[in-house]
Amino acid sequence: MTTSVTIRIQQADFDIAREIAALTQHRNDIGAVVSFSGICRDTEGGASIAALTLEHYPGMAEAEITRHAETAMSRWPLNGLTVIHRVGRIMPGENIVLVLTASAHRQAAFEAAEFLMDYLKTNAPFWKREESAKGTSWIEARDHDDAAAARWTKS
Amino acid sequence: MTTSVTIRIQQADFDIAREIAALTQHRNDIGAVVSFSGICRDTEGGASIAALTLEHYPGMAEAEITRHAETAMSRWPLNGLTVIHRVGRIMPGENIVLVLTASAHRQAAFEAAEFLMDYLKTNAPFWKREESAKGTSWIEARDHDDAAAARWTKS
Amino acid sequence: MKVKYFAWVRERIGKEEETIEPPADVRTVGDLIDWLARRDESYAHAFETPRVIRAAIDHAHVRSDAMISGAREIAFFPPMTGG
Amino acid sequence: MKVKYFAWVRERIGKEEETIEPPADVRTVGDLIDWLARRDESYAHAFETPRVIRAAIDHAHVRSDAMISGAREIAFFPPMTGG
């Protein structure tokens, strides 16, 4: 089984259909593709927001995502996966992050996508700053994201 | 919160990007979109297959999917969901089924998509017949699909 | 009442649907399966393993002990394999 | 060694990166935070709650008891909020 891995950090938006096509084309062993897209909402914790700015740690961000992609591939029988994380200024309704997983079986595709998202939220070095009527402020990490990531740690 | 529900059974292929756009356009309260696409593989249980033919029970199929969509919406805070199931002859590499869920939060979107897929596999009246070098035969239901669906039943 | 058949149940019986008038002592889905299975070899073949036959009354799944009185449409089919 | 700062740690300190030469008794990431916090008010503000500061050595997350000897690049930042 060949596994194709794509990891990108970019300012530009992504095209889910194109990314799915890139992951699945020329092969007929994939039975399930799960995509997760994270989208900028116009409220955060009840307060209206005008935009987000995403900052990241170049070099480490790619290294962390690659490490978790390798963990996902060792833990689930995946045909391929794609992680795209945008940085820079993002408006409500715009895409922030894309995770795609492809497998022969749906359970593996679902679990690997959830695992990657939980780890992106808590371990990948990205930070969100929000713009609202009250000015700009850094979004605080949420305890339940840590809890979500912790469920993948083997006890 | 308005919830948009789309359920279609059709011979034609679907366009994931268009379906996601239809679900998310003109609203900025969606933070997470999960898509599951089930794709026709070229092998089934180790044997090579040339095509699948999907048969369904018109009327009941729509009713069952609608019932499970309503259950999903009552159980998770969803902004919308889409279920498209193809019928007729489908070649390896082609799409079979699409489930899309949209929510403010990723966990709800993931869980609702898994719930809908598990129930489609076991409860929606569709049947797959495979064509191979040995002729045509009906694909048998798998016990682990029943087990996957059973995990959503409240005890 | 109308009866519909799907997948290999349909193939074995050789028809998609038919209208039947079972006698009054055929009260449950299970009774109806037994009654149909006695019709001829095709039906006997279709219903030879009642355990794997699934049934629906008026588009809703039912178990074999469900009563058929009042049903407009009863369907018989193998375990589902969609998705 | 090179030190990098991100998000509000960067904003409070007022620079993205710098090269530092801590004394020999600054052995761990925690020691380095204490040493930096004593530099001036901006650093003190950035590191006022060491519990919430995350650190990485050469692009890998580390805890505050990690040794800094041999590190080429150390980064300090708040809990991550990507995804």
Side-chain angles (χ1 to χ4, degrees):
Chain A
M1 184 169 72
T2 54
T3 308
S4 78
V5 174
T6 299
I7 293 167
R8 294 205 307 271
I9 295 170
Q10 62 189 37
Q11 294 220 334
D13 195 11
F14 47 78
D15 176 334
I16 297 177
R18 184 183 303 169
E19 300 301 333
I20 292 177
L23 197 60
T24 59
Q25 72 189 345
H26 307 311
R27 57 190 305 168
N28 294 327
D29 55 347
I30 293 172
V33 174
V34 168
S35 91
F36 175 90
S37 8
I39 300 169
C40 178
R41 286 182 290 144
D42 57 5
T43 57
E44 182 70 38
S48 177
I49 71 165
L52 287 180
T53 301
L54 265 288
E55 174 173 335
H56 78 302
Y57 182 175
M60 180 171 171
E62 292 83 348
E64 270 296 303
I65 297 173
T66 302
R67 218 159 53 78
H68 288 116
E70 285 165 358
T71 302
M73 289 186 298
S74 70
R75 208 177 280 194
W76 290 279
L78 301 179
N79 299 115
L81 65 85
T82 299
V83 177
I84 301 175
H85 205 305
R86 293 182 67 195
V87 291
R89 194 154 180 272
I90 293 173
M91 310 298 291
E94 282 191 72
N95 290 315
I96 299 172
V97 63
L98 176 69
V99 167
L100 287 184
T101 53
S103 175
H105 303 290
R106 76 185 184 284
Q107 200 61 31
F110 270 122
E111 288 185 6
E114 285 192 77
F115 165 86
L116 286 166
M117 276 309 304
D118 285 347
Y119 268 93
L120 280 176
K121 286 264 177 195
T122 54
N123 275 39
F126 293 84
W127 300 272
K128 290 194 188 96
R129 194 175 52 193
E130 64 182 27
E131 297 168 31
S132 71
K134 291 183 295 183
T136 69
S137 60
W138 294 93
I139 291 181
E140 284 189 37
R142 297 181 305 179
D143 289 343
H144 71 249
D145 285 331
D146 286 329
R151 69 195 163 123
W152 301 105
T153 307
K154 283 169 182 158
S155 57
Chain B
M1 183 169 74
T2 55
T3 307
S4 78
V5 175
T6 300
I7 292 166
R8 294 207 305 273
I9 296 169
Q10 61 188 39
Q11 294 219 331
D13 195 10
F14 47 78
D15 177 334
I16 296 176
R18 184 182 305 169
E19 299 302 332
I20 290 178
L23 198 59
T24 59
Q25 71 190 345
H26 307 311
R27 59 191 302 169
N28 294 328
D29 55 347
I30 293 173
V33 175
V34 168
S35 90
F36 176 90
S37 6
I39 301 170
C40 179
R41 285 183 292 145
D42 57 6
T43 57
E44 183 70 39
S48 177
I49 70 164
L52 287 179
T53 301
L54 265 288
E55 176 173 334
H56 78 301
Y57 180 176
M60 178 169 172
E62 292 84 348
E64 270 294 305
I65 297 174
T66 301
R67 218 159 52 80
H68 288 115
E70 285 165 358
T71 302
M73 288 185 297
S74 70
R75 208 177 278 194
W76 290 279
L78 301 179
N79 299 114
L81 65 84
T82 299
V83 176
I84 302 176
H85 204 305
R86 294 182 64 196
V87 292
R89 193 155 179 271
I90 292 173
M91 310 298 290
E94 283 190 73
N95 290 315
I96 299 172
V97 63
L98 176 69
V99 167
L100 287 185
T101 54
S103 175
H105 304 289
R106 75 185 185 287
Q107 199 62 32
F110 270 122
E111 288 185 6
E114 286 191 77
F115 165 85
L116 286 165
M117 275 310 304
D118 285 348
Y119 268 93
L120 279 176
K121 287 266 177 192
T122 55
N123 275 40
F126 293 85
W127 299 272
K128 291 194 187 95
R129 193 176 52 191
E130 66 183 26
E131 298 169 31
S132 70
K134 292 183 296 184
T136 70
S137 61
W138 294 92
I139 290 181
E140 285 189 37
R142 297 182 305 179
D143 289 343
H144 72 250
D145 285 331
D146 286 329
R151 69 195 163 123
W152 302 104
T153 307
K154 283 170 182 157
S155 56
Chain C
M1 67 188 55
K2 191 195 281 186
V3 190
K4 290 194 169 193
Y5 310 111
F6 294 95
W8 53 253
V9 175
R10 170 181 57 71
E11 286 184 339
R12 289 179 184 185
I13 291 173
K15 57 183 93 167
E16 293 184 8
E17 62 176 79
E18 62 187 318
T19 299
I20 57 167
E21 291 180 29
D25 64 340
V26 171
R27 300 160 60 86
T28 67
V29 166
D31 293 343
L32 183 56
I33 288 175
D34 293 342
W35 182 74
L36 287 166
R38 286 194 298 270
R39 288 188 135 189
D40 69 24
E41 277 181 18
S42 321
Y43 289 91
H45 184 209
F47 293 114
E48 69 188 0
T49 315
R51 181 175 50 79
V52 302
I53 300 292
R54 301 285 182 270
I57 293 182
D58 296 336
H59 294 171
H61 293 291
V62 293
R63 301 195 316 179
S64 64
D65 59 0
M67 305 299 287
I68 63 171
S69 68
R72 288 185 308 277
E73 181 174 303
I74 300 185
F76 294 105
F77 40 79
M80 290 141 284
T81 55
Chain D
M1 69 187 55
K2 190 194 282 184
V3 189
K4 292 194 168 191
Y5 309 110
F6 293 95
W8 53 254
V9 176
R10 170 180 58 71
E11 286 183 340
R12 290 180 182 185
I13 292 174
K15 56 183 95 167
E16 293 184 8
E17 63 176 77
E18 63 186 319
T19 299
I20 57 168
E21 290 181 30
D25 64 340
V26 172
R27 299 160 61 85
T28 67
V29 166
D31 294 342
L32 184 57
I33 288 176
D34 293 342
W35 182 74
L36 287 166
R38 287 195 298 270
R39 289 188 134 188
D40 69 24
E41 276 182 19
S42 322
Y43 288 92
H45 185 211
F47 293 114
E48 68 187 3
T49 315
R51 182 174 50 80
V52 304
I53 300 291
R54 301 287 182 268
I57 293 182
D58 297 336
H59 293 171
H61 292 291
V62 294
R63 301 195 317 180
S64 63
D65 58 0
M67 304 301 287
I68 63 171
S69 68
R72 289 186 307 276
E73 180 173 304
I74 301 186
F76 294 105
F77 40 79
M80 291 140 283
T81 54

